Amino acid sequence: MTEPEVEDRKPQSDEARSAFIPPSGVVAQVPPVEEESSTTSEFALPRGLDAVPQAPAAESAGSAFSTPRTYSARNAPPAFTPPGGVPRVDLTKDAPWQDRMRTMLRMPVAERPVPEAVQKAEDEGPAVPRVLDLTLRIGELLLAGGEGAEDVEAAMFAVCRSYGLDRCEPNVTFTLLSLSYQPSLVEDPVTASRVVRRRGTDYTRLAAVYRLVDDISDDETEVSLEESYRRLAEIRRNRHPYSGWVLTLATGLLAGAASVLVGGGPLVFVAAVVGAMLGDRLAWLCAGRGLPEFYQFTAAAMPAAAIGAALTIADVDVRASAVITGGLFALLPGRALVAGVQDGLTGYYITAAARLLEVMYFYVGIVIGVLVILYFGVTLGAELNPEAALLSAERPLWQIGASMLLTLTFAVLLQQERSTVLIVTLNGGVAWSVYGAMHYAGEISAVASTAVAAGLVGLFGQLMSRYRFASALPYTTAAIGPLLPGSATYFGLLAIAQNDVDKGLVSLTKAAALAMAIAIGMNLGSEISRLFMRLPGAAGGARRAAKRTRGF
C-alpha cells in the first residue's frame, strides 16, 4: 500500500469532514442549504408540491386563527346546541314590536334568533356606547311615564337589536336602568346604567316615545342614531299639552263627577269642584316649596274634607259624604297601583314592591289629611252619617254621564293626546255600565263586579293599543277612574274618626280589595287580549310564561 493511500484511510478532523456534509458525487443532487434568516411556516407547502393544482380560493378555509370567509355577524351560528335542541321561533313581522320583543326576552340567550336587519352598515359596526346611551334614555322616559317594567325592557331590547346589538340584557328596577352588551363569548361585556330621578305623568310624551321605538324597530324604515337622538331631544323639549290651570280645573271637574257618581246633587257638585281645586292649588304650593309628595297628598286631601264638614256644621241640606268622596277620587293613585300589581304578576317583584310601597305612602298621606279634618269636624259637632250616602237613588243615566266626565277629566290630568281622549272616555262609560249592571241590577259583590269591569277595560285597551302600535296606558288608566274605591275609603276613615276602629278597618280592607281587583282585572284583560292576536313564537309551541320560579 502506497503512502498516499494510507493518508486517505486516516480519520480526518471535524473541520476537514462534517457528518452533515453530503458525500462526494451527490452534491449536485441536493439543493443548497438556505440561510437561517430565511424561515418557513410549518403550514407552508413543501417545495416539491408547487406544481400540484390548488383548490379555488373561495373554498379555502384559511388560517385557523382568521375569521372564516363565510362568517357573517347577522347569520352567526349558535355557540352551542341546547340539550333539548334549538326550537323554531317564528317571529311574525305583522305582530307588534312589543309582542316580538317580549317573546324574545322570555327566551334564553342561546335560543334567541339573530337580528334580521341592522340600522348601520355592517363594516362600520354598531357604535356600542351611543346605542346603549340612546336605549337608556328611551327607557328612562318610559319608566318615568308610568310604563310597566316588562314593557320598558321590551322597548330597550327592541332598540338594541335594531342597531345590531343582539347579545344584550336590559334590567329595569324602580329607579335604576341597566344594560349589558357582550359582543362575543371571549370579549368583555360593556355595561351602562341610568338613574331615574324624577317621574312625571305625560302620556303625550309616552306615545311619542312609542312611535320612535316603532320606527327604529321597523325593518322597512332606517333611522340613524343621529336622527333618533334628534327626535328624542324634541320629545323631551316638548311642553305639556295642558297648562297648570287647565289641570286644576280638570281636578275639580273630576271630583264633581265623582260626587254625582255616589249620589250627590248640583250643590254637592259645586262644593266638590271648589274643594278639589283648592286642594290642587295647595299641593302646587307645597311642591313649589320643595316638600315631598307625601305632604303634597296630605295637604290636597284637606280642603274637600273641610268643605264637607263645614256644610254639615252649617246645617246645609247636602250630603257631605259625597263631597269628601269626590275629593278622594281625585287623589287616589290608581295609575301607580295598577303598574305595581302588573309588575308583580309579570315577575318583576323588586319593582312591584317599590311601586306598591309608594302607593302605600300616598294612601297614608291622604288618610292623615282626611282624618285630621274629620276629627276636628266631629269634635265641633259635624253629624257625618255614613249610612246616608248608601241610600242614594239609582240614577243610571246620570251615573253613566258622570263616569264619562270623570274619565274625560282623568285623561286630561294624564296629559293624553286629544286623539285618545274620546276613546278612553267611551271605555270608562262601558266599564261603569258593566259594573252597575252587575252590582246594582245583578246584586253581585262589588269586588267581583269591579274585577270584571276592569278586565274589559284592559281587554279593549290592549286591543286598541296593538291596533295602533302604541302604549296601552292611554287607553286604560283613565278608564278605571270610576271604579276607584273612593266611597269605601271615606267610610273607613269616618268610622275611625268616630272611634269605631273595627268597622273602619273592615271598610279600608274592602277598599284595598277593590283596588287589587282593579289591578288584577286589568292585567288579566291584557293577557286575554293575546288570545285574539297572532303572536310570535306560535309555530314553536306554546307561549312562554313571564318568569317561572318553579320547575314546571
Side-chain angles (χ1 to χ4, degrees), residues 3 9 42 115 135 183 317 358 396 407 456 511 523 540:
E3 187 174 348
R9 290 179 179 268
E42 59 180 350
T135 304
D317 187 13
E358 180 188 39
T407 306
L456 289 178
N523 184 266

PDB file of all heavy atoms in Angstrom, residues 3 9 42 115 135 183 317 358 396 407 456 511 523 540:
ATOM      1  N   GLU A   3       2.033   5.193   0.223  1.00  0.00           N
ATOM      2  CA  GLU A   3       1.875   6.198   1.282  1.00  0.00           C
ATOM      3  C   GLU A   3       0.686   7.120   1.059  1.00  0.00           C
ATOM      4  O   GLU A   3      -0.032   7.441   1.996  1.00  0.00           O
ATOM      5  CB  GLU A   3       3.173   7.009   1.365  1.00  0.00           C
ATOM      6  CG  GLU A   3       3.147   7.975   2.558  1.00  0.00           C
ATOM      7  CD  GLU A   3       4.489   8.654   2.706  1.00  0.00           C
ATOM      8  OE1 GLU A   3       5.460   8.221   2.064  1.00  0.00           O
ATOM      9  OE2 GLU A   3       4.545   9.608   3.485  1.00  0.00           O
ATOM     10  N   ARG A   9      -6.783   6.788   4.225  1.00  0.00           N
ATOM     11  CA  ARG A   9      -7.524   5.980   5.192  1.00  0.00           C
ATOM     12  C   ARG A   9      -7.491   6.585   6.601  1.00  0.00           C
ATOM     13  O   ARG A   9      -8.218   6.145   7.462  1.00  0.00           O
ATOM     14  CB  ARG A   9      -6.932   4.574   5.232  1.00  0.00           C
ATOM     15  CG  ARG A   9      -7.221   3.782   3.945  1.00  0.00           C
ATOM     16  CD  ARG A   9      -6.591   2.405   4.037  1.00  0.00           C
ATOM     17  NE  ARG A   9      -6.880   1.642   2.859  1.00  0.00           N
ATOM     18  CZ  ARG A   9      -7.940   0.821   2.727  1.00  0.00           C
ATOM     19  NH1 ARG A   9      -8.803   0.713   3.712  1.00  0.00           N
ATOM     20  NH2 ARG A   9      -8.128   0.139   1.605  1.00  0.00           N
ATOM     21  N   GLU A  42     -44.664  26.259   9.243  1.00  0.00           N
ATOM     22  CA  GLU A  42     -44.932  24.823   9.216  1.00  0.00           C
ATOM     23  C   GLU A  42     -46.200  24.490   8.434  1.00  0.00           C
ATOM     24  O   GLU A  42     -46.467  23.347   8.115  1.00  0.00           O
ATOM     25  CB  GLU A  42     -45.077  24.307  10.638  1.00  0.00           C
ATOM     26  CG  GLU A  42     -46.195  24.974  11.413  1.00  0.00           C
ATOM     27  CD  GLU A  42     -46.310  24.449  12.813  1.00  0.00           C
ATOM     28  OE1 GLU A  42     -45.639  23.444  13.110  1.00  0.00           O
ATOM     29  OE2 GLU A  42     -47.054  25.041  13.605  1.00  0.00           O
ATOM     30  N   PRO A 115     -80.518  39.188  14.811  1.00  0.00           N
ATOM     31  CA  PRO A 115     -81.287  40.282  14.208  1.00  0.00           C
ATOM     32  C   PRO A 115     -81.433  40.094  12.710  1.00  0.00           C
ATOM     33  O   PRO A 115     -80.503  39.671  12.023  1.00  0.00           O
ATOM     34  CB  PRO A 115     -80.464  41.528  14.549  1.00  0.00           C
ATOM     35  CG  PRO A 115     -79.595  41.131  15.684  1.00  0.00           C
ATOM     36  CD  PRO A 115     -79.335  39.669  15.524  1.00  0.00           C
ATOM     37  N   THR A 135     -80.556  53.897  24.216  1.00  0.00           N
ATOM     38  CA  THR A 135     -81.508  52.936  24.759  1.00  0.00           C
ATOM     39  C   THR A 135     -81.885  53.281  26.192  1.00  0.00           C
ATOM     40  O   THR A 135     -83.057  53.211  26.579  1.00  0.00           O
ATOM     41  CB  THR A 135     -80.912  51.531  24.696  1.00  0.00           C
ATOM     42  OG1 THR A 135     -80.525  51.232  23.342  1.00  0.00           O
ATOM     43  CG2 THR A 135     -81.898  50.490  25.164  1.00  0.00           C
ATOM     44  N   PRO A 183     -70.159  41.451  23.160  1.00  0.00           N
ATOM     45  CA  PRO A 183     -70.028  41.192  21.719  1.00  0.00           C
ATOM     46  C   PRO A 183     -69.891  39.708  21.385  1.00  0.00           C
ATOM     47  O   PRO A 183     -70.442  39.245  20.397  1.00  0.00           O
ATOM     48  CB  PRO A 183     -68.769  41.983  21.338  1.00  0.00           C
ATOM     49  CG  PRO A 183     -68.625  43.021  22.410  1.00  0.00           C
ATOM     50  CD  PRO A 183     -69.140  42.383  23.653  1.00  0.00           C
ATOM     51  N   ASP A 317    -128.598  71.353  53.824  1.00  0.00           N
ATOM     52  CA  ASP A 317    -129.162  70.061  53.420  1.00  0.00           C
ATOM     53  C   ASP A 317    -128.376  69.526  52.218  1.00  0.00           C
ATOM     54  O   ASP A 317    -128.757  69.709  51.057  1.00  0.00           O
ATOM     55  CB  ASP A 317    -130.634  70.223  53.068  1.00  0.00           C
ATOM     56  CG  ASP A 317    -131.301  68.871  52.815  1.00  0.00           C
ATOM     57  OD1 ASP A 317    -130.673  67.834  53.157  1.00  0.00           O
ATOM     58  OD2 ASP A 317    -132.429  68.857  52.274  1.00  0.00           O
ATOM     59  N   GLU A 358     -94.736  52.872  47.365  1.00  0.00           N
ATOM     60  CA  GLU A 358     -95.034  54.265  47.033  1.00  0.00           C
ATOM     61  C   GLU A 358     -96.532  54.530  47.141  1.00  0.00           C
ATOM     62  O   GLU A 358     -96.964  55.558  47.682  1.00  0.00           O
ATOM     63  CB  GLU A 358     -94.536  54.577  45.627  1.00  0.00           C
ATOM     64  CG  GLU A 358     -94.793  56.017  45.194  1.00  0.00           C
ATOM     65  CD  GLU A 358     -94.465  56.238  43.744  1.00  0.00           C
ATOM     66  OE1 GLU A 358     -94.749  55.340  42.921  1.00  0.00           O
ATOM     67  OE2 GLU A 358     -93.945  57.316  43.404  1.00  0.00           O
ATOM     68  N   PRO A 396    -129.158  55.586  36.633  1.00  0.00           N
ATOM     69  CA  PRO A 396    -128.218  55.011  35.646  1.00  0.00           C
ATOM     70  C   PRO A 396    -127.701  56.037  34.654  1.00  0.00           C
ATOM     71  O   PRO A 396    -126.491  56.091  34.388  1.00  0.00           O
ATOM     72  CB  PRO A 396    -129.059  53.925  34.955  1.00  0.00           C
ATOM     73  CG  PRO A 396    -130.189  53.645  35.887  1.00  0.00           C
ATOM     74  CD  PRO A 396    -130.454  54.910  36.625  1.00  0.00           C
ATOM     75  N   THR A 407    -113.875  60.159  33.534  1.00  0.00           N
ATOM     76  CA  THR A 407    -112.819  59.592  32.685  1.00  0.00           C
ATOM     77  C   THR A 407    -112.190  60.659  31.804  1.00  0.00           C
ATOM     78  O   THR A 407    -110.969  60.685  31.600  1.00  0.00           O
ATOM     79  CB  THR A 407    -113.403  58.462  31.822  1.00  0.00           C
ATOM     80  OG1 THR A 407    -114.046  57.503  32.661  1.00  0.00           O
ATOM     81  CG2 THR A 407    -112.309  57.780  31.023  1.00  0.00           C
ATOM     82  N   LEU A 456    -112.535  44.173  31.296  1.00  0.00           N
ATOM     83  CA  LEU A 456    -112.963  44.683  29.994  1.00  0.00           C
ATOM     84  C   LEU A 456    -112.165  45.921  29.597  1.00  0.00           C
ATOM     85  O   LEU A 456    -111.824  46.106  28.421  1.00  0.00           O
ATOM     86  CB  LEU A 456    -114.453  45.001  30.029  1.00  0.00           C
ATOM     87  CG  LEU A 456    -115.398  43.795  30.097  1.00  0.00           C
ATOM     88  CD1 LEU A 456    -116.841  44.262  30.181  1.00  0.00           C
ATOM     89  CD2 LEU A 456    -115.205  42.895  28.894  1.00  0.00           C
ATOM     90  N   ALA A 511    -111.754  48.519  50.628  1.00  0.00           N
ATOM     91  CA  ALA A 511    -111.152  49.428  49.657  1.00  0.00           C
ATOM     92  C   ALA A 511    -109.887  48.823  49.048  1.00  0.00           C
ATOM     93  O   ALA A 511    -109.658  48.927  47.831  1.00  0.00           O
ATOM     94  CB  ALA A 511    -110.836  50.766  50.320  1.00  0.00           C
ATOM     95  N   ASN A 523    -104.826  43.539  34.334  1.00  0.00           N
ATOM     96  CA  ASN A 523    -103.763  42.681  33.839  1.00  0.00           C
ATOM     97  C   ASN A 523    -104.324  41.427  33.184  1.00  0.00           C
ATOM     98  O   ASN A 523    -103.826  40.985  32.139  1.00  0.00           O
ATOM     99  CB  ASN A 523    -102.831  42.308  34.986  1.00  0.00           C
ATOM    100  CG  ASN A 523    -101.646  41.484  34.526  1.00  0.00           C
ATOM    101  OD1 ASN A 523    -101.679  40.263  34.573  1.00  0.00           O
ATOM    102  ND2 ASN A 523    -100.600  42.140  34.061  1.00  0.00           N
ATOM    103  N   GLY A 540     -93.491  27.670  17.254  1.00  0.00           N
ATOM    104  CA  GLY A 540     -92.538  26.892  18.022  1.00  0.00           C
ATOM    105  C   GLY A 540     -93.122  26.283  19.263  1.00  0.00           C
ATOM    106  O   GLY A 540     -92.422  25.676  20.056  1.00  0.00           O
TER     107      GLY A 540
END
